Amino acid sequence: MSAPVLHTSESAEPNAPRGRNEQADATVNAASVASDAPRRRRRVPSPTLVLAIAVVSIAVLWAIVPGVFAPGDPLSGVPAQKLLPPSAEHWFGTDILGRDLYGRVVHGAVQSLSGALIAVTVGLTLGGIIGLLAGTIGGLLDDILMRIVDVLLAIPGLLLSLSVIILLGFGTVNAALAVGLGSVAVFARLMRSEVVRVRRTDYVEAALGSGATLLTVLRRHVLPNSLTPVLALAALQFGTAILAIATLGFLGYGAPPPTPEWGLLIAEGRNYVATSWWLTALPGLVVVAVVLSANRISHGLGRNAS
């Protein structure tokens, strides 16, 4: 009778540690899965960010291949079909000359988006160079450049743009240059602050102490670690530039008629708001959607940078 009892106890003792080990492994696996869950959730893009990217992508495709989305001629119309409301044939209705408004909005994307791209490129290039020089060299040069930047920031953006346009002349390119020069100060201040922050880090000091030249340190360490917030600002300024160029076009300082530019389209329909609301409302909604989408993308880039 004792042998079966001893056999039972011996068989139970080896199984007890194994059960405890399996329970511990299950606990560790559950903890690791729980710790990886937030990481997996962070990898999933936000629906609003996906929508913003889709809106900007459609606008870019409008600018690149407008004929695919609106095959007709945006400059010609049928006078007998003037001021028609939105319908299946004319999605955005028609204007006072019978031109399809949707086609004019699509073909006008190249004017607004290319102008915004020029403006951001000018502001990013000039402002980045000024901020890089001020943050790297410092001293008297930093004081002089930052005082110039402060003067530019003190001037209202629209007033500065109008002053530049008066000197350069009317047109989309000149309006884009004016908007770009108005954004130089913003890029310069951000670039300087990022360069100063990165230059104070230990790895940059170690690179300089090891005998690396200043240009090498700037190229390998300072610039790559300073550009992410500046690129986020560039995305934000892209939307701001679209709005600024549309404002200048609305005031008559942008592309001349009959060019289908977004601000000019809104200006052409302002006299018919009471009877033909779609002439101003629908192009205005397109501008708002693209600007808000660019701002949302900038916000996403800023969060990734932080």
Side-chain angles (χ1 to χ4, degrees):
M1 296 298 291
S2 60
V5 173
L6 291 174
H7 178 74
T8 304
S9 61
E10 290 174 358
S11 62
E13 286 178 0
N15 291 335
R18 190 182 308 158
R20 286 195 296 269
N21 291 335
E22 292 177 354
Q23 184 178 3
D25 293 340
T27 304
V28 173
N29 292 334
S32 62
V33 170
S35 62
D36 291 340
R39 201 173 302 166
R40 287 196 301 268
R41 284 197 298 267
R42 286 196 295 268
R43 293 196 190 102
V44 178
S46 171
T48 57
L49 181 59
V50 173
L51 179 61
I53 294 174
V55 170
V56 174
S57 300
I58 291 174
V60 171
L61 290 176
W62 283 359
I64 297 175
V65 285
V68 174
F69 297 91
D73 186 3
L75 301 181
S76 63
V78 181
Q81 297 181 356
K82 65 178 182 180
L83 298 180
L84 293 179
S87 62
E89 183 180 0
H90 303 285
W91 291 0
F92 285 9
T94 59
D95 61 5
I96 188 63
L97 298 178
R99 297 173 295 192
D100 183 66
L101 186 59
Y102 170 75
R104 288 178 61 76
V105 170
V106 170
H107 286 268
V110 65
Q111 299 289 331
S112 298
L113 297 188
S114 62
L117 182 62
I118 294 173
V120 172
T121 302
V122 171
L124 177 61
T125 303
L126 296 181
I129 293 174
I130 293 174
L132 182 62
L133 292 176
T136 303
I137 299 176
L140 180 60
L141 181 62
D142 183 18
D143 294 336
I144 294 175
L145 292 178
M146 287 301 101
R147 297 299 76 77
I148 296 175
V149 168
D150 291 339
V151 171
L152 292 176
L153 288 174
I155 303 174
L158 182 59
L159 179 60
L160 181 60
S161 299
L162 291 177
S163 302
V164 174
I165 288 177
I166 291 174
L167 295 176
L168 298 179
F170 297 173
T172 303
V173 176
N174 293 338
L177 293 176
V179 174
L181 292 175
S183 64
V184 167
V186 181
F187 282 105
R189 285 184 65 113
L190 181 60
M191 177 61 83
R192 176 190 176 275
S193 64
E194 290 298 316
V195 169
V196 171
R197 177 185 63 82
V198 175
R199 278 211 62 185
R200 293 175 179 173
T201 56
D202 295 336
Y203 61 88
V204 173
E205 295 294 338
L208 291 173
S210 63
T213 62
L214 181 59
L215 291 178
T216 302
V217 173
L218 289 176
R219 178 171 53 87
R220 292 184 178 180
H221 302 289
V222 177
L223 279 179
N225 292 283
S226 303
L227 282 180
T228 303
V230 179
L231 293 178
L233 177 62
L236 178 63
Q237 287 297 121
F238 184 78
T240 305
I242 292 175
L243 191 60
I245 292 173
T247 301
L248 293 174
F250 181 85
L251 296 176
Y253 295 99
T259 305
E261 193 269 329
W262 287 351
L264 183 60
L265 293 179
I266 299 173
E268 290 176 348
R270 68 181 183 272
N271 295 327
Y272 306 94
V273 174
T275 58
S276 304
W277 55 269
W278 55 88
L279 294 180
T280 55
L282 297 182
L285 288 177
V286 171
V287 174
V288 170
V290 175
V291 172
L292 290 179
S293 299
N295 292 349
R296 179 63 184 88
I297 295 174
S298 172
H299 179 68
L301 292 175
R303 292 186 62 182
N304 292 333
S306 61

